[in-house]
Amino acid sequence: MRYEGIVYRPPSEAYSFIVQVTVGCAHNKCSFCSMYKNKKFRIRNLEEIFADLEEGKTYYSRVDKIFLADGDALCLPTEHLKKILLKIKELFPQCNRVGVYSTPKDILRKSLEDLKELGNLGLGIIYMGLESGSEEILKDINKGVTQEEMIQAGKKVKKSGIPLSLTVISGIGGRENLERHGIETGKVISQINPDFVGLLTLMLEQGTEITSKVNSGEFNLLTPQEVMLETKILLQNTNVTNCIFRSNHASNYVSLKGTLPFDKERIINTIDQILNEGYRYKSEIFRGL
Ligand code: SF4
């Protein structure tokens, strides 16, 4: 397999066969993200991608899940993606899910019919980085989309029938925006009503704009207690019908999980207990991305 640079994937794709269909991220401007800073974005040609899939076929006797990397594979032209999904069907008939990262703009550029067609061909999950539901915070972190565009993109995926996973980052607005981030993000999640929410906690990566702001005192990181408070506010403002909530990533100080709305009160009670009775939070040295 010809992987170029470090290849990232969501935690839930840990056992997936990963194939790079793009190199880097077409946006590559988020203030907290260093994942693709050293890669010049390009779409790989179909011959290269097919060659990797065929090589994978010689290594793995059975593949259940495939993840198409890098940062926003849905930016590929629909015809290109369709050919890749058809090739996957031909080589790995037992594969039951193909996943991609996508920016909201990639989703908005596709028609609903295109998304439905991709879903029918096996695109089985879209991971979209919401990060925050606050308009101000989205602007501060250079996400490149408005709150409304986030909502429209999320709703469009839901309408297409493709399962949607949103990623949110605790502390991404800093201490000054703790309440705003919690409330606005909860409201946006409620409007989108995704299938999954993954809540990470902000980690400082070398060379990012947000790290420079922390070093200059312009941005204040949350303490673990403040992260808990922000999570509680977010959950209190989240009204969804059936959503798997996970905050058990390596970056999180505390592991929380459940299905919303059924486990909402239980998770909030756990947070209250942690805040009122004290807790040994995960040490900084054990946090990671
Ligand atoms: S967070 Fe996602 S969209 Fe933003 S630069 Fe990183 S990979 Fe690209």
Side-chain angles (χ1 to χ4, degrees):
M1 235 66 62
R2 290 162 296 178
Y3 292 125
E4 287 188 34
I6 301 172
V7 177
Y8 297 90
R9 46 100 188 131
S12 50
E13 301 286 344
Y15 301 105
S16 306
F17 170 30
I18 298 178
V19 181
Q20 266 177 311
V21 299
T22 64
V23 174
C25 163
H27 177 58
N28 216 8
K29 292 192 185 91
C30 298
S31 68
F32 57 91
C33 173
S34 69
M35 293 198 294
Y36 306 107
K37 288 283 183 265
N38 298 324
K39 289 184 181 181
K40 190 169 181 306
F41 176 77
R42 72 179 174 89
I43 292 177
R44 294 183 78 208
N45 65 47
L46 278 179
E47 290 71 33
E48 288 178 77
I49 299 166
F50 285 5
D52 280 357
L53 286 167
E54 272 160 19
E55 198 181 334
K57 175 85 179 159
T58 65
Y59 293 147
Y60 310 115
S61 55
R62 187 187 168 95
V63 169
D64 293 323
K65 288 185 197 169
I66 292 182
F67 182 72
L68 303 178
D70 274 341
D72 54 345
L74 204 74
C75 74
L76 254 60
T78 303
E79 286 310 309
H80 209 96
L81 274 170
K82 276 161 60 179
K83 286 181 185 152
I84 294 167
L85 292 168
L86 284 168
K87 189 73 178 171
I88 289 173
K89 274 191 181 300
E90 174 197 323
L91 294 173
F92 305 100
Q94 72 281 41
C95 175
N96 54 45
R97 190 177 88 181
V98 179
V100 289
Y101 280 133
S102 173
T103 65
K105 285 216 163 131
D106 298 330
I107 295 163
L108 293 173
R109 268 191 293 266
K110 299 248 180 279
S111 70
L112 183 60
E113 288 317 307
D114 281 347
L115 287 175
K116 282 183 181 170
E117 208 174 341
L118 292 172
N120 289 336
L121 288 173
L123 184 60
I125 187 160
I126 293 179
Y127 299 91
M128 185 177 95
L130 167 63
E131 332 301 2
S132 175
S134 153
E135 188 77 57
E136 290 80 358
I137 297 172
L138 288 173
K139 206 178 284 171
D140 284 351
I141 62 173
N142 303 328
K143 196 64 200 169
V145 279
T146 62
Q147 180 194 62
E148 188 52 31
E149 285 172 316
M150 281 289 184
I151 295 168
Q152 291 312 322
K155 283 185 167 177
K156 196 169 185 180
V157 175
K158 285 294 293 175
K159 209 166 175 188
S160 75
I162 300 174
L164 173 67
S165 178
L166 295 182
T167 307
V168 172
I169 306 179
S170 288
I172 193 69
R175 183 167 295 138
E176 296 68 21
N177 286 311
L178 183 158
E179 203 171 348
R180 172 184 285 168
H181 179 47
I183 295 172
E184 295 294 312
T185 305
K187 285 185 180 166
V188 169
I189 292 172
S190 307
Q191 288 204 56
I192 296 175
N193 198 19
D195 303 277
F196 305 90
V197 168
L199 180 65
L200 279 59
T201 301
L202 180 65
M203 299 271 317
L204 293 183
E205 297 176 46
Q206 260 196 342
T208 59
E209 201 182 314
I210 214 161
T211 301
S212 306
K213 284 186 178 173
V214 170
N215 292 338
S216 68
E218 215 184 310
F219 184 98
N220 294 308
L221 291 171
L222 301 192
T223 63
Q225 290 81 358
E226 287 166 336
V227 168
M228 283 296 97
L229 182 60
E230 189 183 76
T231 305
K232 177 179 170 180
I233 297 171
L234 184 151
L235 286 167
Q236 285 171 328
N237 286 277
T238 299
N239 294 301
V240 284
T241 52
N242 190 8
C243 171
I244 294 176
F245 171 81
R246 292 274 181 271
S247 182
N248 56 354
H249 183 259
S251 65
N252 297 120
Y253 290 107
V254 176
S255 177
L256 301 168
K257 53 187 173 180
T259 302
L260 305 177
F262 319 106
D263 298 318
K264 182 167 154 175
E265 282 316 308
R266 176 184 59 76
I267 302 173
I268 289 175
N269 288 341
T270 304
I271 293 174
D272 281 339
Q273 227 174 332
I274 288 170
L275 287 171
N276 297 332
E277 295 171 17
Y279 186 82
R280 276 182 70 167
Y281 294 100
K282 188 191 287 176
S283 155
E284 290 296 337
I285 52 168
F286 293 118
R287 292 176 66 223
L289 277 175

